[in-house]
Amino acid sequence: MTFFVGVLILVWAAFIAAWFAVSKYFKSSDVDKIKARLLGTPKQKKAQAEAGAAGKQSVMQVETKTKNHLAQLVVDKYNLAPRIGVFLEQAGLKWAPARLIHICWMTFLATTIAAWLLLPLPHLVGILIGFAAGAGPVGYVWFLRRSRLSRFESLFPETLEFIARSMRAGHAFSVSLEMIHREFPEPIAGEFRRTFEEHNLGLPIEVALQKFAQRVPSLDVHFFVSAVLLQKRTGGNLAEILDKLAYVIRERFKLRGRIRAVSAHGRMTATALSCIPIAVAILMFYTNPDYVQFFFTDDVGQIMMGSAIGLQVLGYLIMKKITNIEV
């Protein structure tokens, strides 16, 4: 009993220490970024000195490396920075790519150790639980990205109509982009402000719009960029084109809402069929734990449980694919 209490105290102390370390890391991250931008890191100062000696001065901020050297090594080795950077940018997070890798590693290690010490499960099951928890930060970023893109798409038709009204009032297209960030909330304001600033600093409007389409992976944005580029080459009434595009997008939203209403029964059925085995497993674990221990202690039971979980996930994905109709 004394040994068990000591282990619990040790685990509690480890979690408290990890919590304080993570809290301090998050609090000091923004301060470090501000100091780096104001004062510059030694590498940036050396690079600026070399550029000044060569007679070339860059106006672009050099990306600073994170303090997580192991995670940064993995990012550099497998060239993950561009893909993870775009993923984080689409979620509206100003994280370094290595920071996401580091958080996933820390979550995996903490959850695996906690499962080994606190749960009466085999080590393999604890590792699987750790992998699931390690994917949690990626799922969180993916959820933020999906929510941000959904907000962007819901505001985009009104944005197109605003651009059309501004051009009818006599404003240039670039001025209309600059006015959007004062009239609309995020994420519309931030994306269009960045596009305008890139164009205002000398980037051609075609390139700025193409980068805008890369940052926002939406079919509506690609239609908008294609319409603007085509109008610049062939001419035409851009305000009328944007009004019609906004009308088409709104009609597509209405059709999507009708399809979701029709497929609601299928989605509810898929959710219920996926939750029933989980609920039955939890009830069996509390009512007859000796019967459930077979799936954790016996090799055949572990194979059966792994196969059941895999087939359950596969069935849920198939049902979700059937009810998910793209418009």
Side-chain angles (χ1 to χ4, degrees):
M1 183 65 183
T2 306
F3 175 75
F4 180 72
V5 173
V7 171
L8 287 180
I9 294 175
L10 182 61
V11 172
W12 176 81
F15 271 104
I16 292 296
W19 170 258
F20 276 110
V22 172
S23 301
K24 185 178 179 181
Y25 174 80
F26 278 105
K27 290 180 180 178
S28 62
S29 178
D30 294 335
V31 178
D32 293 339
K33 289 182 179 179
I34 294 174
K35 289 181 179 179
R37 291 182 66 90
L38 293 176
L39 302 177
T41 61
K43 293 183 179 179
Q44 291 176 346
K45 293 179 179 179
K46 183 178 179 181
Q48 291 176 359
E50 293 177 354
K56 297 180 181 180
Q57 184 69 28
S58 175
V59 297
M60 300 299 293
Q61 174 93 11
V62 180
E63 182 181 358
T64 57
K65 298 292 184 179
T66 183
K67 296 180 179 179
N68 307 317
H69 300 292
L70 184 58
Q72 186 64 49
L73 181 63
V74 173
V75 171
D76 294 338
K77 181 178 180 181
Y78 296 100
N79 195 22
L80 300 175
R83 287 175 289 180
I84 299 179
V86 172
F87 182 60
L88 293 172
E89 187 176 12
Q90 291 173 353
L93 298 174
K94 298 180 180 179
W95 291 2
R99 182 176 180 181
L100 178 62
I101 301 296
H102 179 74
I103 293 175
C104 292
W105 281 356
M106 294 297 295
T107 307
F108 165 74
L109 292 176
T111 307
T112 303
I113 294 174
W116 286 352
L117 295 178
L118 301 179
L119 299 178
L121 300 175
H123 285 181
L124 179 60
V125 178
I127 293 175
L128 294 178
I129 295 175
F131 273 117
V138 178
Y140 170 71
V141 176
W142 179 83
F143 174 77
L144 291 181
R145 175 182 178 272
R146 183 178 178 182
S147 301
R148 188 171 182 268
L149 293 178
S150 178
R151 290 197 304 270
F152 186 95
E153 290 181 346
S154 62
L155 294 172
F156 193 59
E158 186 177 352
T159 305
L160 297 180
E161 292 180 345
F162 176 83
I163 297 175
R165 292 194 300 267
S166 300
M167 296 184 67
R168 288 194 180 97
H171 296 290
F173 177 73
S174 58
V175 177
S176 301
L177 297 182
E178 194 269 337
M179 295 170 60
I180 289 175
H181 83 270
R182 297 198 301 265
E183 302 293 336
F184 287 86
E186 294 290 343
I188 288 285
E191 293 295 340
F192 277 95
R193 181 176 63 248
R194 178 171 176 179
T195 303
F196 170 76
E197 289 176 351
E198 289 176 348
H199 174 59
N200 196 34
L201 289 173
L203 197 66
I205 188 64
E206 295 86 356
V207 181
L209 289 175
Q210 289 173 359
K211 294 180 66 176
F212 169 57
Q214 292 175 358
R215 292 195 305 270
V216 184
S218 173
L219 187 62
D220 302 331
V221 175
H222 286 280
F223 284 155
F224 164 69
V225 173
S226 299
V228 173
L229 297 182
L230 186 62
Q231 188 272 341
K232 288 183 66 65
R233 295 175 183 175
T234 61
N237 191 346
L238 182 59
E240 183 179 356
I241 294 174
L242 295 181
D243 280 335
K244 291 183 178 180
L245 180 58
Y247 173 77
V248 171
I249 293 174
R250 282 201 170 95
E251 290 298 319
R252 193 158 62 87
F253 282 166
K254 292 179 182 178
L255 180 60
R256 183 185 298 175
R258 294 171 186 168
I259 292 176
R260 286 183 60 85
V262 172
S263 61
H265 180 267
R267 287 185 281 111
M268 292 178 61
T269 302
T271 303
L273 292 177
S274 301
C275 292
I276 287 175
I278 300 176
V280 172
I282 294 175
L283 291 176
M284 290 295 295
F285 186 80
Y286 281 100
T287 57
N288 193 357
D290 295 334
Y291 178 79
V292 180
Q293 286 293 328
F294 164 76
F295 296 99
F296 295 99
T297 57
D298 192 88
D299 295 336
V300 178
Q302 293 176 4
I303 295 175
M304 293 174 60
M305 183 178 64
S307 302
I309 293 175
L311 292 175
Q312 187 69 25
V313 173
L314 180 61
Y316 174 77
L317 294 177
I318 293 175
M319 290 185 289
K320 187 174 180 62
K321 184 65 176 179
I322 293 174
T323 57
N324 186 19
I325 304 174
E326 293 292 336
V327 180

